[in-house]
Amino acid sequence: MAKNYILMVLLLVLAGISEAALAQNNPPDSIPLPAFLRKRNDIRAEKRLDKERKIAAAEENMRRKAAGIVAPSMRFKNINKPSIPYYVNERDLARILTAHKGEDNEKLYRLLYNYVSNFGIKNFINDIGLLYDLASLSAFMGNHKLSSELYALIIKHYRGTKEVPKWVYDSLVQPSTAYLNLAEYKKFVQELELVDSLKPEVDSIDINMGEEINSKYEDYGLSMAQDDSSIVFTSQRNKHPSDPELKNEDIFFTKKDEYGYWEAAKQIPGLNTQYNEGSPCLSPDGKTLVFARCFSPAGYGNCDLFISEYSEDSASWSEPRNLGPYINSTAWDSHPTFSTNGDTLFFASDRLSGFGGSDIYFSRKGRGQIWLPCENLGPVVNTRNDEVSPYYHTLRRVLYFSSSGQLVSFGGFDIYKTYSIDSTWSEPVNVGPFINTPSDEYYFAINGDAKIIFYAQSDTNRSDLDLFSFPLPMEAHPDATVKFSGSLREERTGEIFTGTVAIFDLEERRMIAPKRTSADGSFEFNLINKRKYLLVVDGENFFRLEQVFFLDGPQKKDIQLKNIQTVQFKSVEFELGSSRLSPQMENDLHLVIKFLTEHPDFELSIEGHTDTSGYADANKKLSQERADVIKEYIVSYGKFENDRIKAIGYGEERPLVRELTEMDRKTNRRVEFRLFNRPPLESEKAIPEKVTDPDAPLEAPREEDFKEDKDDFGGG
């Protein structure tokens, strides 16, 4: 120790640095630290950063697991090993074949699992059969989670027909719900418009970001500072310097003024050139800008990623420099986005070493702030098709992206979200039909508090792309991860009911996209925890149910419903010998009124019954009076035609049980409501239209199905 200390002092003296200068954390610029000390400080800083990163990741993992987010069961060891693009081991393949012939399922399972876990990227093209064998055997062995994950991978990566793996996947996962198609959605919303508390907020529409940002040319590909105070985006408003007919992409910048309004967008000096610049991305601190520059002689491929840093001393951006061959390739590289700490860069690339057309990659900063060789995000996120437009929400630590190859799609490119958990990525979730349409969705960003999504689309009045904002739906929210599920049953018989389930966020006063239950009556939503919601369940065979609930962790709710064919209400019980309505009956009677209003094809029969006490004639007269007074109430409040509702008093003629006790007599004293479809009048019979295929793919429930396709995702 003494020798090391003496050696260090000698080195410091030789370097002309006193102990006092060394003790200062920030020595004078005129006295630079020796190289070995700078290297030591860099290593210490990297270790601190790495420790902080691991602590943050561990805390995030705990939160996500508590919310029900699940990491994939299998890891693929060789995905990012350039030396093993395709894994092959002839000895192990021979052992797999032997175990298969010997019908030793346990041994075969172990051998297959080990072999598949060594897959490289090209194995997902050439060895999909082994993936299929392991998926099938996993289901047989009872590991349904692994089996469903493997079938999902087969669907994403198989080059042939996918009907069989889709059928098996659906049977394993039991997809509980499907979004309503457009016609069903419109009808459902119209029925709910009568309920004042369920009306959507006025701002639940697309809002053009205005002439300060948009031009009469294409504007798209925006990125926001973490505090939402500034935006950078791509625009084609500038003419190409050599040929006005050529597309010219440039980067523009705007910030909010003191009143919170966007200032007129301007170019960033020194950034735009005669080449195409687009897809800009700001680091969380707003001091680093990464963007794509296309067709530049300084590039490795047709589009490369460049970086520029902001200097507060000169109040300007540095000369952009190419991020180098660790990130850029000889192909197309674009659509960058930073992680929370700015130490990871995600981007899209169509390099040949990927799973499909375009994949999502990432690179981390290493020692000396050098970007390390990029890695593929893996086969759960990337597919045989295209993944583009990654967007990392830096405050909520969620990765969004656009894809044309995931399991659930409304058409073209849809937006998905995925969560980092246990050093891998969760199964992507479609953000729903309030954002995704039959057209393509990409070029988007979400503001800091996750209330607004910004994206590019064509205005209805002209053909070019403009930047719009839209309230972020629940399905797309980063925190919508807590599962709320349940099933519908008839309250007495347990009969399975199918219908429509909608949920309203009572804090934001917005509807979550309604879904149709599965054949087994089940449904499932992902919601934000610790909020109050309104559950609305509707269907043809039961009365609509409306129920307020507070979500506190994952919740399963088995809902008991009343069959509309014959209904009894506990509240509709008359005083002995009386036919006078009591106030407690009114809620249930209004339920009947509501149903008849919403279902004009139904008629109602009100049937009064008594017990056997007293005289039969008096009992029949009393039961008729009770049925009549209920009919009068319903007709009066509902303003229905008189002949649509019938009132019949049966007296003691139709007992449910033999009367031996007072409870038996109470059971027989009842009023039954029988609902049935009335036959259509001749004038109401319509000429049948062309029959549509019931199995045809459904449209997304959104008015904007006329939305025009976006431009190709080129440099911007």
Side-chain angles (χ1 to χ4, degrees), residues 106-122:
E106 289 190 7
K107 184 177 181 181
L108 180 60
Y109 178 80
R110 291 194 303 271
L111 290 170
L112 276 171
Y113 189 96
N114 181 66
Y115 195 93
V116 170
S117 66
N118 281 289
F119 269 18
I121 288 177
K122 298 307 176 187

Side-chain angles (χ1 to χ4, degrees), residues 486-513:
S487 61
L488 311 184
R489 295 285 188 276
E490 208 283 325
E491 64 178 8
R492 290 181 300 171
T493 65
E495 174 192 354
I496 292 173
F497 280 150
T498 58
T500 300
V501 180
I503 296 178
F504 291 80
D505 181 350
L506 295 179
E507 290 188 19
E508 298 290 335
R509 290 196 64 188
R510 292 201 180 99
M511 182 169 66
I512 297 154

Side-chain angles (χ1 to χ4, degrees), residues 7-18 21-22 27-42:
L7 180 60
M8 180 176 286
V9 171
L10 286 172
L11 288 169
L12 294 176
V13 170
L14 289 172
I17 303 174
S18 68
L22 178 64
D29 293 337
S30 59
I31 310 176
L33 283 173
F36 81 94
L37 287 179
R38 290 200 302 272
K39 185 176 180 180
R40 183 199 66 182
N41 289 345
D42 286 344

